[in-house]
Amino acid sequence: MSNECEQYEKKFKDVTLHHFRGGLSALLNFANYVNAYGYRDLEESECTEIKTVLETAHKAMSKAEDAAGSFIESLMKDTLQLALNFDEVKLKRKDLKESLQAKKYEMMLLENQRFQVNDQLQAARMSLQHTENALNAAEVRKGEKTTGRDMGIGLILLAPCVGIPMTVDYNKELKSTRKLLKEVEKQLYKLKDTVKEKEEEMKKGNSQILENSKETKMLKDNLAQTEIEVERMQMVVGALNDTKTKLKFCYNYLYSLQGLVEVLYQSSEDIYSLEPIKEAIEDTLKAIQQPNSHNELLTCNVDVQKVATDLRAIQYQIDRK
């Protein structure tokens, strides 16, 4: 931002310094007239010379002030736009932080959900395995032409894992036992469906967690970049505000000096002697010869410093009279 601020200062000098130097040169000529004519009554030709030189100084200083004012107005707009952009970046950072927190919370829920589904899946698989083992044992007995009583004993073992309430009458016929076997087979299919469903839920959960991880990483990366941008813009805003303050001081100096020149110019309309405007002359010359940090962009110019030096010499001669 240092280069940008320097560019603003350079542009300010480009639009004002030429007119400012012209105004100072005219005021230097005016000071020479003051030194030459003193505060006596003036000849008509002398009055004309003074009016002409003050008109030149007035026009040049007016142009310098107008140019500086327009530049400051443009700078104020740039500063305002930069402030708005800065607010947008800070808002973006705030939104990213909130989104990142939401993603972390979402991840916690997904992890908990996956943990629960995994428990349910493992339980369903164990029930399925137990049911399949018991059913296979029952089928083996059936193939060996076991009695209905023996078959019933095998199925009783299934009751706790499949949740089918049953009371097996050892004296029931084999037909009744086969019917019960079919019911257990149906429950087996349900358990298989449950396992498949839980596996799908696990797959979906893993996919969601993976997607959440990617989105979280993107948010973190964006937030990191935004933090850098916030820090950069904070420095830019601070530097530009400093430059704006510096240039406004220069403008205020031009505005004040232009006001003094305005008084001299207006007073020269019906001038007959410099005596009535002696105080205004002294104030104007004093203002030119007192550069400070507030107007250094203008007064540090080599040509301007030369004029100021010449004015001090003339002022010294005037004061000795």
Side-chain angles (χ1 to χ4, degrees), residues 177-193:
T177 303
R178 287 174 177 171
K179 180 179 180 182
L180 185 59
L181 184 60
K182 289 181 180 179
E183 292 178 0
V184 175
E185 287 176 340
K186 289 181 181 179
Q187 186 65 22
L188 181 65
Y189 293 140
K190 289 182 179 179
L191 282 170
K192 287 182 177 180
D193 289 341

Side-chain angles (χ1 to χ4, degrees), residues 28-72:
L28 178 60
N29 292 333
F30 173 69
N32 280 318
Y33 288 144
V34 174
N35 185 40
Y37 302 150
Y39 296 105
R40 60 174 174 79
D41 289 346
L42 300 172
E43 300 291 335
E44 184 176 347
S45 60
E46 295 171 342
C47 290
T48 300
E49 289 175 335
I50 289 175
K51 287 180 181 181
T52 300
V53 76
L54 285 178
E55 182 179 8
T56 300
H58 178 258
K59 286 182 178 180
M61 287 298 180
S62 295
K63 289 180 180 180
E65 183 204 347
D66 289 343
S70 296
F71 188 86
I72 292 296

Side-chain angles (χ1 to χ4, degrees), residues 98-321:
E98 292 176 353
S99 296
L100 185 57
Q101 285 299 113
K103 280 296 173 185
K104 288 180 178 179
Y105 181 71
E106 180 183 333
M107 177 66 87
M108 182 187 69
L109 294 179
L110 288 172
E111 291 283 4
N112 289 339
Q113 183 180 5
R114 181 170 67 173
F115 182 78
Q116 293 174 3
V117 171
N118 185 60
D119 283 350
Q120 293 169 359
L121 175 59
Q122 295 308 318
R125 282 174 174 171
M126 290 179 63
S127 296
L128 177 61
Q129 185 64 47
H130 183 70
T131 302
E132 286 178 337
N133 291 340
L135 190 60
N136 288 336
E139 288 287 353
V140 169
R141 291 190 185 95
K142 177 183 175 183
E144 294 175 350
K145 299 183 179 181
T146 57
T147 64
R149 178 178 180 279
D150 293 335
M151 185 79 73
I153 293 173
L155 292 177
I156 287 174
L157 297 175
L158 296 177
C161 64
V162 300
I164 300 177
M166 56 176 64
T167 301
V168 179
D169 186 348
Y170 298 153
N171 297 319
K172 282 187 176 181
E173 297 178 355
L174 184 59
K175 180 178 179 181
S176 177
T177 303
R178 287 174 177 171
K179 180 179 180 182
L180 185 59
L181 184 60
K182 289 181 180 179
E183 292 178 0
V184 175
E185 287 176 340
K186 289 181 181 179
Q187 186 65 22
L188 181 65
Y189 293 140
K190 289 182 179 179
L191 282 170
K192 287 182 177 180
D193 289 341
T194 299
V195 169
K196 184 178 180 181
E197 177 186 345
K198 295 305 176 183
E199 286 176 342
E200 288 296 325
E201 286 186 29
M202 280 292 293
K203 183 178 179 182
K204 180 179 179 182
N206 288 334
S207 177
Q208 288 176 329
I209 288 175
L210 179 61
E211 184 65 25
N212 182 283
S213 298
K214 292 179 180 178
E215 292 175 357
T216 299
K217 184 179 183 304
M218 288 180 60
L219 284 171
K220 286 182 177 180
D221 292 343
N222 287 339
L223 181 58
Q225 291 297 321
T226 304
E227 290 285 8
I228 295 173
E229 182 65 9
V230 168
E231 184 177 349
R232 186 192 73 81
M233 291 196 69
Q234 189 169 9
M235 294 176 62
V236 170
V237 169
L240 189 56
N241 281 331
D242 290 343
T243 299
K244 180 185 68 176
T245 300
K246 187 176 184 179
L247 296 184
K248 285 185 72 175
F249 277 133
C250 286
Y251 170 75
N252 291 338
Y253 170 72
L254 281 174
Y255 180 82
S256 176
L257 186 57
Q258 164 58 15
L260 294 171
V261 175
E262 178 77 23
V263 172
L264 293 177
Y265 174 66
Q266 295 296 336
S267 300
S268 69
E269 185 68 25
D270 299 313
I271 195 169
Y272 63 90
S273 171
L274 295 174
E275 180 64 32
I277 58 173
K278 181 179 180 179
E279 184 177 351
I281 293 172
E282 292 174 348
D283 289 343
T284 303
L285 298 181
K286 182 180 179 181
I288 297 172
Q289 296 172 58
Q290 289 185 336
N292 53 63
S293 60
H294 292 167
N295 58 24
E296 61 182 7
L297 284 178
L298 298 172
T299 56
C300 286
N301 177 266
V302 175
D303 294 335
V304 172
Q305 289 180 339
K306 184 177 184 305
V307 171
T309 300
D310 292 344
L311 279 173
R312 279 193 289 272
I314 296 172
Q315 181 74 57
Y316 177 74
Q317 296 176 27
I318 294 173
D319 292 341
R320 292 187 61 186
K321 291 182 179 180

Side-chain angles (χ1 to χ4, degrees), residues 11-32:
K11 289 178 182 179
F12 180 83
K13 289 190 289 186
D14 288 344
V15 299
T16 59
L17 196 54
H18 174 71
H19 302 300
F20 181 63
R21 283 198 304 258
L24 288 185
S25 296
L27 289 174
L28 178 60
N29 292 333
F30 173 69
N32 280 318

